[in-house]
Coordinates of all heavy atoms in Angstrom, one line a residue:
M1 N -23.0 -10.0 11.6 CA -24.0 -8.9 11.4 C -25.4 -9.5 11.3 O -25.6 -10.4 10.5 CB -23.6 -8.2 10.1 CG -24.6 -7.3 9.5 SD -24.2 -6.7 7.9 CE -23.8 -5.1 8.3
E2 N -26.3 -9.1 12.1 CA -27.6 -9.6 12.1 C -28.6 -8.7 11.5 O -28.4 -7.5 11.5 CB -28.1 -9.9 13.6 CG -27.3 -11.1 14.2 CD -27.9 -11.5 15.5 OE1 -29.0 -11.2 15.8 OE2 -27.1 -12.2 16.2
S3 N -29.6 -9.2 10.9 CA -30.6 -8.4 10.3 C -31.9 -8.4 11.1 O -31.9 -9.0 12.1 CB -30.9 -8.9 8.8 OG -31.5 -10.1 8.9
R4 N -32.9 -7.8 10.5 CA -34.2 -7.7 11.2 C -34.8 -9.1 11.5 O -35.5 -9.3 12.4 CB -35.2 -6.9 10.5 CG -34.8 -5.5 10.4 CD -35.9 -4.6 9.8 NE -36.4 -5.2 8.6 CZ -37.4 -4.8 7.9 NH1 -38.0 -3.7 8.3 NH2 -37.8 -5.4 6.8
N5 N -34.5 -10.1 10.6 CA -35.1 -11.4 10.8 C -34.1 -12.4 11.5 O -34.3 -13.6 11.4 CB -35.6 -12.0 9.5 CG -34.5 -12.2 8.5 OD1 -33.4 -11.9 8.8 ND2 -34.9 -12.7 7.3
D6 N -33.1 -11.8 12.2 CA -32.1 -12.6 12.9 C -31.3 -13.6 12.1 O -30.9 -14.6 12.6 CB -32.8 -13.3 14.1 CG -33.4 -12.3 15.1 OD1 -32.9 -11.2 15.3 OD2 -34.5 -12.6 15.6
H7 N -31.2 -13.3 10.8 CA -30.4 -14.2 10.0 C -28.9 -13.8 10.1 O -28.6 -12.6 10.0 CB -30.8 -14.1 8.5 CG -29.9 -14.8 7.6 ND1 -29.9 -16.2 7.4 CD2 -28.9 -14.3 6.7 CE1 -29.0 -16.5 6.5 NE2 -28.4 -15.4 6.1
T8 N -28.0 -14.7 10.4 CA -26.6 -14.5 10.4 C -26.0 -15.2 9.3 O -26.3 -16.4 9.0 CB -26.0 -15.1 11.7 OG1 -26.7 -14.5 12.8 CG2 -24.5 -14.8 11.8
P9 N -25.1 -14.5 8.5 CA -24.6 -15.2 7.3 C -23.7 -16.3 7.7 O -23.1 -16.3 8.8 CB -23.8 -14.1 6.6 CG -23.6 -13.0 7.6 CD -24.7 -13.2 8.6
P10 N -23.6 -17.3 6.8 CA -22.7 -18.5 7.1 C -21.2 -18.0 7.3 O -20.8 -17.0 6.7 CB -22.9 -19.4 5.9 CG -24.0 -18.8 5.1 CD -24.2 -17.4 5.5
L11 N -20.5 -18.8 8.0 CA -19.1 -18.4 8.3 C -18.2 -18.5 7.0 O -17.2 -17.9 6.9 CB -18.5 -19.3 9.3 CG -19.1 -19.2 10.7 CD1 -18.5 -20.2 11.7 CD2 -18.9 -17.7 11.2
R12 N -18.7 -19.2 6.0 CA -17.9 -19.4 4.8 C -17.7 -18.1 4.0 O -16.9 -18.0 3.2 CB -18.5 -20.5 3.9 CG -19.8 -20.0 3.2 CD -20.4 -21.1 2.3 NE -21.5 -20.6 1.6 CZ -22.7 -20.5 2.1 NH1 -22.9 -20.9 3.4 NH2 -23.7 -20.0 1.4
N13 N -18.6 -17.1 4.3 CA -18.5 -15.9 3.6 C -17.3 -15.1 4.0 O -17.1 -14.8 5.2 CB -19.7 -15.0 3.8 CG -21.0 -15.7 3.2 OD1 -20.8 -16.5 2.3 ND2 -22.1 -15.3 3.6
P14 N -16.5 -14.6 3.1 CA -15.3 -13.8 3.4 C -15.8 -12.4 3.8 O -16.8 -11.9 3.3 CB -14.5 -13.8 2.2 CG -15.5 -13.9 1.1 CD -16.6 -14.8 1.6
G15 N -15.0 -11.7 4.6 CA -15.3 -10.3 4.8 C -14.7 -9.5 3.7 O -14.1 -10.0 2.8
R16 N -14.9 -8.2 3.8 CA -14.3 -7.3 2.8 C -12.8 -7.2 3.0 O -12.4 -7.5 4.1 CB -14.9 -5.9 2.8 CG -15.7 -5.5 4.0 CD -16.1 -4.0 3.8 NE -15.1 -3.2 3.4 CZ -15.2 -1.9 3.4 NH1 -16.2 -1.3 4.0 NH2 -14.2 -1.1 3.0
P17 N -12.1 -6.9 2.0 CA -10.7 -6.8 2.1 C -10.3 -5.8 3.2 O -10.9 -4.7 3.2 CB -10.2 -6.4 0.7 CG -11.3 -6.8 -0.2 CD -12.5 -6.7 0.6
G18 N -9.4 -6.1 4.0 CA -9.1 -5.1 5.1 C -8.2 -4.0 4.7 O -7.5 -4.1 3.7
G19 N -8.3 -2.9 5.4 CA -7.4 -1.8 5.1 C -7.5 -1.2 3.8 O -8.6 -1.1 3.2
T20 N -6.4 -0.8 3.2 CA -6.4 -0.1 1.9 C -5.9 -1.1 0.9 O -5.4 -0.7 -0.2 CB -5.5 1.1 1.9 OG1 -4.2 0.8 2.3 CG2 -6.1 2.2 2.9
E21 N -6.0 -2.4 1.1 CA -5.5 -3.4 0.2 C -6.1 -3.2 -1.2 O -7.3 -3.2 -1.3 CB -5.8 -4.8 0.8 CG -5.4 -5.9 -0.2 CD -5.9 -7.2 0.4 OE1 -6.4 -7.3 1.5 OE2 -5.8 -8.2 -0.4
N22 N -5.3 -3.1 -2.2 CA -5.8 -3.0 -3.6 C -5.6 -4.4 -4.3 O -4.4 -4.7 -4.5 CB -5.1 -1.9 -4.3 CG -5.7 -1.8 -5.8 OD1 -6.5 -2.5 -6.2 ND2 -5.1 -0.8 -6.5
R23 N -6.6 -5.1 -4.5 CA -6.4 -6.4 -5.2 C -6.3 -6.3 -6.7 O -6.0 -7.3 -7.3 CB -7.7 -7.3 -4.8 CG -7.8 -7.6 -3.4 CD -8.9 -8.5 -3.0 NE -8.8 -9.8 -3.7 CZ -9.8 -10.7 -3.7 NH1 -10.9 -10.4 -3.0 NH2 -9.6 -11.8 -4.3
G24 N -6.4 -5.2 -7.2 CA -6.3 -5.0 -8.7 C -7.4 -5.7 -9.4 O -8.5 -5.9 -8.9
A25 N -7.2 -5.9 -10.7 CA -8.2 -6.6 -11.5 C -8.4 -8.0 -11.1 O -7.5 -8.7 -10.7 CB -7.8 -6.5 -13.0
Q26 N -9.7 -8.4 -11.1 CA -10.1 -9.7 -10.7 C -10.8 -10.4 -11.8 O -11.5 -9.8 -12.6 CB -11.0 -9.7 -9.5 CG -10.4 -9.1 -8.2 CD -9.3 -10.0 -7.6 OE1 -8.2 -9.6 -7.5 NE2 -9.7 -11.2 -7.2
L27 N -10.6 -11.7 -11.9 CA -11.2 -12.5 -13.0 C -12.3 -13.5 -12.3 O -12.0 -14.0 -11.2 CB -10.2 -13.4 -13.7 CG -9.1 -12.6 -14.4 CD1 -8.1 -13.6 -15.0 CD2 -9.7 -11.7 -15.5
I28 N -13.4 -13.7 -13.0 CA -14.4 -14.6 -12.5 C -14.8 -15.5 -13.7 O -14.6 -15.2 -14.9 CB -15.7 -13.9 -12.0 CG1 -16.3 -13.1 -13.1 CG2 -15.4 -13.1 -10.8 CD1 -17.7 -12.5 -12.7
G29 N -15.3 -16.7 -13.4 CA -15.7 -17.6 -14.4 C -17.0 -17.2 -15.1 O -17.8 -16.4 -14.6
A30 N -17.4 -17.9 -16.2 CA -18.6 -17.6 -16.9 C -19.8 -17.9 -16.1 O -20.8 -17.1 -16.2 CB -18.6 -18.5 -18.2
G31 N -19.8 -18.9 -15.3 CA -21.0 -19.2 -14.4 C -21.2 -18.1 -13.4 O -22.4 -17.7 -13.2
D32 N -20.1 -17.6 -12.8 CA -20.3 -16.5 -11.9 C -20.7 -15.2 -12.6 O -21.4 -14.4 -12.0 CB -19.0 -16.3 -11.1 CG -18.8 -17.3 -10.0 OD1 -19.8 -17.9 -9.6 OD2 -17.6 -17.5 -9.6
Y33 N -20.2 -15.0 -13.8 CA -20.7 -13.8 -14.6 C -22.2 -13.9 -14.8 O -22.8 -12.8 -14.6 CB -19.9 -13.8 -15.9 CG -20.2 -12.6 -16.8 CD1 -19.6 -11.4 -16.5 CD2 -21.1 -12.7 -17.9 CE1 -19.9 -10.3 -17.3 CE2 -21.4 -11.6 -18.7 CZ -20.7 -10.4 -18.4 OH -21.0 -9.3 -19.1
Q34 N -22.7 -15.0 -15.1 CA -24.2 -15.1 -15.2 C -24.9 -14.9 -13.9 O -26.0 -14.3 -13.9 CB -24.6 -16.5 -15.8 CG -24.1 -16.7 -17.2 CD -24.7 -15.7 -18.2 OE1 -25.9 -15.4 -18.1 NE2 -23.9 -15.2 -19.1
R35 N -24.3 -15.4 -12.8 CA -24.9 -15.1 -11.5 C -24.9 -13.6 -11.2 O -25.9 -13.1 -10.6 CB -24.1 -15.9 -10.4 CG -24.3 -17.4 -10.5 CD -23.4 -18.1 -9.6 NE -23.8 -18.0 -8.2 CZ -23.1 -18.6 -7.2 NH1 -22.0 -19.2 -7.5 NH2 -23.5 -18.4 -6.0
L36 N -23.9 -12.9 -11.6 CA -23.9 -11.5 -11.4 C -25.0 -10.8 -12.1 O -25.6 -9.9 -11.6 CB -22.5 -10.9 -11.8 CG -21.3 -11.1 -10.9 CD1 -20.1 -10.6 -11.5 CD2 -21.6 -10.5 -9.5
W37 N -25.2 -11.2 -13.4 CA -26.3 -10.6 -14.1 C -27.7 -10.9 -13.5 O -28.6 -10.0 -13.4 CB -26.3 -11.1 -15.6 CG -25.4 -10.3 -16.4 CD1 -24.2 -10.7 -16.9 CD2 -25.6 -9.0 -16.9 NE1 -23.6 -9.7 -17.6 CE2 -24.5 -8.6 -17.6 CE3 -26.6 -8.0 -16.7 CZ2 -24.3 -7.3 -18.2 CZ3 -26.5 -6.8 -17.3 CH2 -25.4 -6.4 -18.0
R38 N -27.9 -12.1 -13.0 CA -29.1 -12.5 -12.3 C -29.3 -11.7 -11.0 O -30.4 -11.2 -10.7 CB -29.2 -14.0 -12.0 CG -29.4 -14.8 -13.3 CD -29.8 -16.2 -13.0 NE -28.9 -16.9 -12.1 CZ -27.9 -17.7 -12.6 NH1 -27.7 -17.9 -13.9 NH2 -27.1 -18.3 -11.8
A39 N -28.2 -11.5 -10.3 CA -28.2 -10.7 -9.1 C -28.6 -9.3 -9.4 O -29.4 -8.6 -8.6 CB -26.9 -10.8 -8.3
A40 N -28.0 -8.7 -10.4 CA -28.3 -7.3 -10.8 C -29.8 -7.2 -11.2 O -30.5 -6.2 -10.8 CB -27.5 -6.9 -12.0
S41 N -30.4 -8.2 -11.9 CA -31.8 -8.2 -12.2 C -32.6 -8.3 -10.9 O -33.7 -7.5 -10.8 CB -32.1 -9.3 -13.1 OG -31.5 -9.2 -14.3
A42 N -32.2 -9.1 -10.0 CA -33.0 -9.2 -8.7 C -32.9 -7.9 -7.9 O -33.9 -7.5 -7.3 CB -32.4 -10.3 -7.9
C43 N -31.8 -7.2 -8.0 CA -31.7 -5.9 -7.3 C -32.6 -4.9 -7.9 O -33.2 -4.1 -7.2 CB -30.2 -5.4 -7.3 SG -29.1 -6.4 -6.2
R44 N -32.6 -4.9 -9.3 CA -33.5 -3.9 -9.9 C -35.0 -4.2 -9.6 O -35.8 -3.3 -9.3 CB -33.3 -4.0 -11.4 CG -32.1 -3.3 -11.9 CD -32.1 -3.0 -13.4 NE -32.2 -4.3 -14.2 CZ -31.2 -5.1 -14.5 NH1 -30.0 -4.8 -14.1 NH2 -31.4 -6.2 -15.2
L45 N -35.3 -5.5 -9.4 CA -36.7 -5.8 -9.1 C -37.0 -5.4 -7.6 O -38.0 -4.8 -7.4 CB -36.9 -7.4 -9.2 CG -38.2 -7.9 -8.8 CD1 -39.3 -7.3 -9.7 CD2 -38.3 -9.4 -8.9
L46 N -36.1 -5.6 -6.7 CA -36.2 -5.2 -5.3 C -36.4 -3.6 -5.3 O -37.2 -3.1 -4.5 CB -35.1 -5.6 -4.4 CG -35.0 -7.1 -4.0 CD1 -33.8 -7.3 -3.2 CD2 -36.2 -7.5 -3.3
A47 N -35.6 -2.9 -6.0 CA -35.7 -1.5 -6.0 C -37.0 -1.0 -6.6 O -37.5 0.1 -6.2 CB -34.5 -0.9 -6.9
A48 N -37.7 -1.8 -7.4 CA -38.9 -1.3 -8.0 C -40.1 -1.6 -7.1 O -41.2 -1.1 -7.4 CB -39.1 -2.0 -9.4
I49 N -39.9 -2.4 -6.1 CA -41.1 -2.7 -5.2 C -41.3 -1.5 -4.2 O -40.6 -1.3 -3.3 CB -40.8 -4.0 -4.4 CG1 -40.7 -5.1 -5.4 CG2 -42.0 -4.2 -3.4 CD1 -40.3 -6.4 -4.7
T50 N -42.3 -0.8 -4.5 CA -42.7 0.3 -3.6 C -43.6 -0.2 -2.5 O -44.0 -1.4 -2.5 CB -43.5 1.4 -4.4 OG1 -44.7 0.8 -4.9 CG2 -42.7 2.0 -5.6
E51 N -43.8 0.6 -1.5 CA -44.7 0.2 -0.4 C -46.1 -0.1 -0.9 O -46.7 -1.1 -0.4 CB -44.7 1.3 0.7 CG -45.5 0.8 1.9 CD -45.4 1.9 3.0 OE1 -44.6 2.8 2.9 OE2 -46.2 1.7 4.0
E52 N -46.6 0.7 -1.8 CA -47.9 0.4 -2.4 C -48.0 -0.9 -3.1 O -48.9 -1.7 -2.9 CB -48.3 1.5 -3.3 CG -48.5 2.9 -2.7 CD -48.7 4.0 -3.7 OE1 -48.6 3.7 -5.0 OE2 -48.9 5.1 -3.3
V53 N -47.0 -1.2 -3.9 CA -47.0 -2.5 -4.6 C -46.9 -3.7 -3.6 O -47.5 -4.7 -3.8 CB -45.8 -2.6 -5.6 CG1 -45.6 -3.9 -6.2 CG2 -46.0 -1.5 -6.7
A54 N -46.0 -3.5 -2.6 CA -45.9 -4.6 -1.6 C -47.2 -4.9 -0.9 O -47.5 -6.0 -0.7 CB -44.8 -4.2 -0.6
V55 N -47.9 -3.8 -0.5 CA -49.2 -4.0 0.2 C -50.2 -4.7 -0.7 O -50.9 -5.6 -0.3 CB -49.7 -2.6 0.8 CG1 -51.1 -2.8 1.3 CG2 -48.8 -2.2 1.9
E56 N -50.2 -4.2 -1.9 CA -51.2 -4.7 -2.9 C -51.0 -6.2 -3.2 O -52.0 -6.9 -3.4 CB -51.1 -3.9 -4.2 CG -52.1 -4.3 -5.3 CD -52.0 -3.4 -6.5 OE1 -51.6 -2.3 -6.4 OE2 -52.2 -4.0 -7.6
H57 N -49.8 -6.6 -3.2 CA -49.5 -8.0 -3.6 C -49.1 -8.9 -2.4 O -48.7 -10.0 -2.6 CB -48.4 -8.0 -4.6 CG -48.8 -7.4 -5.9 ND1 -49.5 -8.1 -6.8 CD2 -48.5 -6.2 -6.5 CE1 -49.7 -7.3 -7.9 NE2 -49.1 -6.1 -7.7
G58 N -49.2 -8.3 -1.2 CA -48.9 -9.1 0.0 C -47.5 -9.5 0.2 O -47.2 -10.6 0.7
I59 N -46.6 -8.6 -0.2 CA -45.2 -8.9 -0.1 C -44.7 -8.4 1.3 O -44.8 -7.2 1.6 CB -44.3 -8.2 -1.2 CG1 -44.8 -8.7 -2.6 CG2 -42.8 -8.4 -1.0 CD1 -44.2 -8.0 -3.7
D60 N -44.2 -9.2 2.1 CA -43.8 -8.9 3.5 C -42.4 -8.4 3.5 O -41.6 -8.8 2.6 CB -43.9 -10.2 4.3 CG -43.7 -10.0 5.7 OD1 -44.6 -9.5 6.4 OD2 -42.5 -10.3 6.2
P61 N -42.0 -7.5 4.3 CA -40.7 -6.9 4.4 C -39.6 -8.1 4.6 O -38.5 -8.0 4.1 CB -40.7 -6.0 5.6 CG -42.1 -5.5 5.7 CD -42.9 -6.7 5.2
D62 N -40.0 -9.1 5.3 CA -39.1 -10.2 5.5 C -38.8 -10.9 4.2 O -37.7 -11.5 4.0 CB -39.6 -11.2 6.6 CG -39.5 -10.7 8.0 OD1 -38.6 -9.8 8.2 OD2 -40.2 -11.2 8.8
D63 N -39.7 -10.9 3.3 CA -39.5 -11.5 2.0 C -38.4 -10.8 1.2 O -37.5 -11.4 0.6 CB -40.8 -11.5 1.1 CG -41.9 -12.3 1.8 OD1 -41.6 -13.2 2.6 OD2 -43.1 -12.0 1.5
T64 N -38.6 -9.5 1.1 CA -37.5 -8.7 0.4 C -36.2 -8.8 1.1 O -35.1 -8.8 0.5 CB -38.0 -7.3 0.2 OG1 -38.3 -6.7 1.5 CG2 -39.2 -7.2 -0.7
A65 N -36.2 -8.8 2.4 CA -34.9 -8.9 3.2 C -34.3 -10.3 2.9 O -33.0 -10.3 2.7 CB -35.2 -8.8 4.7
A66 N -35.0 -11.3 2.8 CA -34.5 -12.6 2.5 C -33.8 -12.7 1.1 O -32.7 -13.2 0.9 CB -35.5 -13.7 2.6
V67 N -34.5 -12.0 0.1 CA -33.9 -12.0 -1.2 C -32.6 -11.2 -1.2 O -31.6 -11.6 -1.8 CB -34.9 -11.3 -2.2 CG1 -34.3 -11.1 -3.6 CG2 -36.1 -12.2 -2.4
A68 N -32.6 -10.0 -0.5 CA -31.4 -9.2 -0.4 C -30.2 -10.0 0.3 O -29.1 -9.9 -0.2 CB -31.7 -7.9 0.4
E69 N -30.5 -10.8 1.3 CA -29.5 -11.6 2.0 C -29.0 -12.7 1.1 O -27.8 -13.0 1.1 CB -30.1 -12.1 3.3 CG -30.3 -11.1 4.3 CD -31.0 -11.5 5.5 OE1 -31.3 -12.8 5.6 OE2 -31.2 -10.7 6.4
Y70 N -29.9 -13.3 0.3 CA -29.5 -14.3 -0.7 C -28.5 -13.7 -1.7 O -27.5 -14.3 -2.0 CB -30.7 -14.9 -1.4 CG -30.3 -16.0 -2.3 CD1 -30.1 -17.3 -1.9 CD2 -30.2 -15.7 -3.7 CE1 -29.8 -18.3 -2.8 CE2 -29.9 -16.7 -4.6 CZ -29.7 -18.0 -4.2 OH -29.3 -18.9 -5.1
I71 N -28.8 -12.5 -2.2 CA -28.0 -11.8 -3.2 C -26.6 -11.5 -2.5 O -25.6 -11.8 -3.1 CB -28.6 -10.6 -3.7 CG1 -29.9 -10.9 -4.5 CG2 -27.6 -9.7 -4.5 CD1 -30.7 -9.7 -4.9
R72 N -26.6 -11.0 -1.3 CA -25.4 -10.7 -0.6 C -24.5 -12.0 -0.5 O -23.3 -11.9 -0.7 CB -25.7 -10.1 0.8 CG -24.4 -9.8 1.5 CD -24.6 -9.6 3.0 NE -25.2 -10.9 3.5 CZ -25.9 -11.0 4.6 NH1 -26.2 -9.9 5.3 NH2 -26.3 -12.1 5.1
D73 N -25.1 -13.1 0.0 CA -24.4 -14.3 0.2 C -23.8 -14.8 -1.2 O -22.6 -15.2 -1.2 CB -25.2 -15.4 0.8 CG -25.6 -15.1 2.2 OD1 -25.0 -14.2 2.8 OD2 -26.5 -15.8 2.7
D74 N -24.6 -14.6 -2.3 CA -24.1 -15.0 -3.6 C -22.9 -14.2 -4.0 O -21.9 -14.7 -4.6 CB -25.2 -14.9 -4.6 CG -25.2 -15.9 -5.7 OD1 -24.6 -17.0 -5.4 OD2 -25.8 -15.7 -6.7
M75 N -23.0 -12.9 -3.7 CA -21.9 -12.0 -4.1 C -20.6 -12.3 -3.3 O -19.5 -12.3 -3.9 CB -22.2 -10.5 -3.7 CG -23.3 -9.9 -4.6 SD -23.0 -9.8 -6.3 CE -23.9 -11.3 -6.9
Y76 N -20.7 -12.7 -2.0 CA -19.6 -13.1 -1.2 C -18.9 -14.3 -1.8 O -17.7 -14.4 -1.9 CB -20.0 -13.4 0.2 CG -20.2 -12.2 1.1 CD1 -21.2 -12.2 2.0 CD2 -19.3 -11.1 1.0 CE1 -21.4 -11.1 2.9 CE2 -19.5 -10.0 1.9 CZ -20.5 -10.0 2.8 OH -20.7 -9.0 3.6
Q77 N -19.8 -15.3 -2.3 CA -19.2 -16.5 -2.9 C -18.5 -16.2 -4.2 O -17.4 -16.7 -4.4 CB -20.3 -17.5 -3.1 CG -20.9 -18.1 -1.9 CD -22.1 -19.0 -2.2 OE1 -22.4 -19.2 -3.3 NE2 -22.8 -19.4 -1.1
I78 N -19.1 -15.3 -5.0 CA -18.4 -15.0 -6.3 C -17.1 -14.3 -6.0 O -16.1 -14.6 -6.6 CB -19.4 -14.1 -7.1 CG1 -20.5 -14.9 -7.6 CG2 -18.6 -13.5 -8.3 CD1 -21.7 -14.1 -8.3
L79 N -17.1 -13.3 -5.1 CA -15.9 -12.6 -4.8 C -14.8 -13.5 -4.2 O -13.6 -13.3 -4.5 CB -16.2 -11.4 -3.9 CG -17.0 -10.3 -4.5 CD1 -17.4 -9.3 -3.4 CD2 -16.2 -9.6 -5.6
S80 N -15.2 -14.4 -3.4 CA -14.2 -15.3 -2.8 C -13.6 -16.3 -3.8 O -12.4 -16.7 -3.6 CB -14.8 -16.1 -1.6 OG -15.7 -17.1 -2.2
R81 N -14.2 -16.5 -4.9 CA -13.7 -17.4 -5.9 C -12.9 -16.6 -7.0 O -12.3 -17.2 -7.9 CB -14.8 -18.2 -6.6 CG -15.3 -19.3 -5.8 CD -16.2 -20.2 -6.6 NE -17.3 -19.5 -7.1 CZ -18.5 -19.5 -6.5 NH1 -18.7 -20.0 -5.4 NH2 -19.5 -18.8 -7.1
S82 N -13.0 -15.3 -7.0 CA -12.3 -14.5 -8.0 C -10.8 -14.6 -7.9 O -10.3 -14.8 -6.8 CB -12.8 -13.0 -8.0 OG -12.3 -12.4 -6.8
K83 N -10.1 -14.5 -9.0 CA -8.7 -14.6 -9.0 C -8.1 -13.4 -9.5 O -8.6 -12.7 -10.4 CB -8.3 -15.8 -9.9 CG -8.9 -17.1 -9.6 CD -8.3 -17.7 -8.4 CE -8.9 -19.1 -8.1 NZ -9.0 -19.4 -6.7
P84 N -6.9 -13.0 -9.0 CA -6.2 -11.8 -9.5 C -5.9 -12.0 -11.0 O -5.5 -13.1 -11.4 CB -4.9 -11.7 -8.7 CG -5.2 -12.5 -7.4 CD -6.2 -13.5 -7.8
A85 N -6.0 -11.0 -11.8 CA -5.8 -11.1 -13.2 C -4.4 -11.4 -13.6 O -4.1 -11.9 -14.7 CB -6.3 -9.8 -13.9
D86 N -3.5 -11.0 -12.7 CA -2.0 -11.2 -13.1 C -1.5 -12.6 -12.7 O -0.3 -12.8 -12.8 CB -1.2 -10.1 -12.5 CG -1.4 -10.0 -10.9 OD1 -2.1 -10.8 -10.4 OD2 -0.7 -9.1 -10.3
E87 N -2.3 -13.5 -12.3 CA -1.8 -14.8 -11.9 C -1.8 -15.7 -13.1 O -2.6 -15.7 -14.0 CB -2.7 -15.5 -10.8 CG -2.4 -15.0 -9.5 CD -3.1 -15.8 -8.4 OE1 -3.9 -16.7 -8.7 OE2 -2.9 -15.4 -7.2

């Protein structure tokens, strides 16, 4: 999947679970939990950047796209390390 700035995610990223597979409850480590909170904060910041704010502060669309892609890649890594709760 390519974006506007021709960035292709690394192959290490897993795809979404196929079909109707239900993985049930998943567990993540404390470090990944903190990464999720930081990613949520970054998403709130991206959502707050209006076109007016971006123009006023010189924020380029490629800048926000790069942050979104970084968050996406981080989420893939966290999800790939999660373990089923029943193991």
Side-chain angles (χ1 to χ4, degrees):
M1 169 188 251
E2 292 189 19
S3 68
R4 292 186 314 174
N5 64 0
D6 299 323
H7 171 76
T8 303
L11 294 176
R12 71 180 184 280
N13 292 341
R16 17 179 312 196
T20 59
E21 176 187 353
N22 182 0
R23 294 179 65 185
Q26 297 291 118
L27 301 174
I28 60 171
D32 283 340
Y33 183 78
Q34 292 300 319
R35 289 171 75 182
L36 287 175
W37 275 107
R38 287 194 304 265
S41 296
C43 288
R44 282 193 304 274
L45 179 62
L46 284 177
I49 298 174
T50 63
E51 186 175 348
E52 293 171 357
V53 170
V55 169
E56 182 179 329
H57 295 282
I59 300 171
D60 188 78
D62 285 339
D63 298 336
T64 55
V67 173
E69 289 172 3
Y70 180 83
I71 293 168
R72 180 200 59 207
D73 291 348
D74 215 23
M75 295 298 99
Y76 282 142
Q77 290 174 7
I78 291 169
L79 292 172
S80 70
R81 286 192 299 268
S82 69
K83 304 285 183 212
D86 58 359
E87 280 188 359

